[in-house]
Amino acid sequence: MPDTTAAAQRPEFHHSHSAHCESGVMSSLLRHYGLDISEPMAFGLASALAFAYVPIIRVGGFPLFAYRMPPGAIIKGLRKSLGVKMRLHHYRNEQAGMKALDDHLDSGRVVGLQSSVYWLPYFPPDMRFHFNAHNLIVFGRNEAGGYRISDPVFEHTVTCPAADLQKARFVKGVFAPRGLLYYPERMPTTIDYDHAVGKAVKKTAFRMLKAPLSFVGVRGIRTLARRLGGLPSSGTDPRYARLLVAQIIRMQEEIGTGGGGFRFMYASFLQEASDRIGQSHLSEAAAAMTEAGDAWRDFALAGARLCRDRGNSDYAGLAHKLFTCAEREESAYRMML
Amino acid sequence: MKRHEVPQDANSALRGERKAVYALDEEGRYTVVASSGWQVEETVTTMAVELYAEQAEEARRRVWEGLAAPLEYHMFRRRLDIPTLAREVGMMRWRVSRHLKPNNFAGLGNRMLARYAEVLGIRIDELKKVPDA
């Protein structure tokens, strides 16, 4: 297991444009420290794909909709599946947290951070919401005392003043980052892809098909479809119904998913995995997952039309599209078992 | 989704930034494509942004009518709601709700105001007022 303390001799850091923050950060960090792993591979090996619709947890006044596992699951999942030893530090004291970051940069180490999206000034104003589990990489400082950042969801590297980065790292609330800073400490020398892929794929399929909860996995998609099909009911404000649909689509498309609520990224993982370990059933599953992603895009398109056009209240049609998503996903997961 | 189907609708919410999307190339291989955005995303993002803006405007009017405290305006302006603000300042929701009432807000000490100002990223004197139009 090569140690990463000799970080100063590392080559210059390369930014790459990713769909999702956590998988993007992990892919870039691992590549920097010597393990060539794509974003979809990082996402898939961590078994990060999911679906959940949880009405009792409210996010900004709406039920929780999730197309992936909770924040931190990719970092944790890759530790297990690849055998990477990660170091994770939280800081109670803000100055200590900033100093630790500076010390790592001084020693030539590139690190990942968790942050809020709202307080990062380089985000476009309309994309700034109070989501506290964003991930980014800091790879240097500039002359003005700001930080050079590789934010995976941006096409190019950005810079951020120290005061703003500090605020973004130490916000409180749901998913409070508490200054989280992380980096790989020891890298594996070889990876048994046969084993890692087989395990990760089964885990995802099992969770999506067999979770004994009505709000998780394929069952969760169907539960949501039934809820939408019942709209607009007498007890629901028509305006709220539209905002609810908008919220689902935001979680699916806007919040860095690579399109179709991570389904295309996952299909890309299945394709890559199939090539690597030569198992044709995974390439069939990739094609099925692509169809599922297309169904989700179709749903989003119809949903946005409903949001825009006040005369349109075809919730039944929307529910039908969601049932199609559930059906296509189910067939993809069956191929993965 | 195929590469040529990736939307390039110049979503105004992205301000010229592009996002990475996974799509199939001509050989059926997955590849990363930079997208200038999708009309669908623009619609739903704008709805979310406008909801907060409307709530802030409504609160601003109510402050002038003496029905709400300036804290309510600043909360919505920062795209927060009561549960989220309560989590960020580390208080119970009912306490934050109380502070949204003009009389209770007027009675807050500087230490309490400083906690709100810190979370909202503004100064205490800014927290105590709202714009007039």
Side-chain angles (χ1 to χ4, degrees), chain B residues 31-97:
Chain B
T31 170
V32 177
V33 181
S35 162
S36 67
W38 191 17
Q39 182 70 52
V40 164
E41 291 155 16
E42 189 175 56
T43 301
V44 295
T45 305
T46 310
M47 281 173 77
V49 168
E50 277 175 0
L51 180 62
Y52 285 114
E54 276 167 33
Q55 287 170 321
E57 174 55 23
E58 167 78 17
R60 192 194 62 78
R61 256 197 357 245
R62 283 162 27 88
V63 172
W64 284 104
E65 289 166 13
L67 298 171
L71 177 59
E72 187 172 321
Y73 164 77
H74 290 289
M75 172 177 84
F76 286 128
R77 194 176 64 88
R78 285 299 196 193
R79 296 179 187 160
L80 292 161
D81 54 10
I82 295 171
T84 318
L85 178 60
R87 289 288 294 256
E88 297 216 352
V89 288
M91 278 186 235
M92 304 284 272
R93 284 178 210 182
W94 62 267
R95 234 177 132 198
V96 173
S97 307

Side-chain angles (χ1 to χ4, degrees), chain A residues 151-332:
Chain A
D151 192 316
V153 300
F154 283 76
E155 203 171 357
H156 307 287
T157 59
V158 291
T159 57
C160 180
D164 294 310
L165 186 64
Q166 182 171 335
K167 176 117 184 134
R169 289 180 69 196
F170 290 96
V171 290
K172 297 190 178 65
V174 184
F175 300 136
R178 292 179 293 132
L180 177 63
L181 177 156
Y182 54 93
Y183 54 89
E185 190 177 39
R186 252 178 286 136
M187 303 291 291
T189 39
T190 54
I191 308 237
D192 181 358
Y193 276 100
D194 280 306
H195 179 74
V197 166
K199 234 178 137 174
V201 160
K202 285 206 167 44
K203 193 170 167 185
T204 298
F206 202 79
R207 183 193 298 132
M208 296 300 283
L209 290 174
K210 306 265 168 82
L213 299 163
S214 62
F215 50 86
V216 171
V218 173
R219 283 180 70 190
I221 303 172
R222 295 202 167 108
T223 303
L224 178 60
R226 277 191 291 274
R227 164 86 174 113
L228 285 185
L231 289 173
S233 61
S234 52
T236 319
D237 171 13
R239 182 153 185 256
Y240 174 80
R242 272 169 219 284
L243 287 166
L244 185 77
V245 172
Q247 179 74 2
I248 302 171
I249 302 172
R250 280 183 64 210
M251 294 302 129
Q252 182 189 316
E253 299 296 335
E254 177 206 81
I255 322 282
T257 69
F262 299 100
R263 270 57 187 165
F264 294 128
M265 200 200 321
Y266 198 79
S268 174
F269 155 70
L270 291 171
Q271 188 178 63
E272 194 184 330
S274 157
D275 289 353
R276 196 177 269 275
I277 64 173
Q279 294 209 3
S280 61
H281 73 283
L282 291 182
S283 114
E284 286 158 29
M289 192 56 78
T290 302
E291 285 185 18
D294 288 334
W296 281 105
R297 295 287 277 193
D298 200 30
F299 163 75
L301 190 63
R305 278 206 196 106
L306 191 146
C307 290
R308 265 197 300 269
D309 175 9
R310 281 181 196 282
N312 176 347
S313 59
D314 186 17
Y315 288 94
L318 212 51
H320 180 75
K321 289 195 187 294
L322 216 42
F323 278 120
T324 307
C325 297
E327 206 174 296
R328 291 196 183 170
E329 278 200 23
E330 187 170 357
S331 74

Side-chain angles (χ1 to χ4, degrees), chain A residues 91-113:
Chain A
Y91 301 89
R92 195 169 294 208
N93 180 293
E94 299 192 13
Q95 275 73 37
M98 292 309 278
K99 176 154 190 321
L101 172 61
D102 288 340
D103 290 347
H104 282 302
L105 293 173
D106 287 342
S107 74
R109 185 175 264 133
V110 165
V111 296
L113 296 180

Side-chain angles (χ1 to χ4, degrees), chain A residues 19-40:
Chain A
H20 176 59
C21 65
E22 196 176 329
S23 49
V25 162
M26 284 308 287
S27 159
S28 288
L29 270 186
L30 293 177
R31 274 180 170 155
H32 181 72
Y33 289 104
L35 177 66
D36 190 13
I37 181 167
S38 70
E39 184 194 14

Side-chain angles (χ1 to χ4, degrees), chain A residues 121-136:
Chain A
Y122 60 80
F123 264 81
D126 283 356
M127 304 301 282
R128 290 169 66 176
F129 292 94
H130 290 269
F131 174 65
N132 294 336
H134 185 58
N135 288 274
L136 52 85

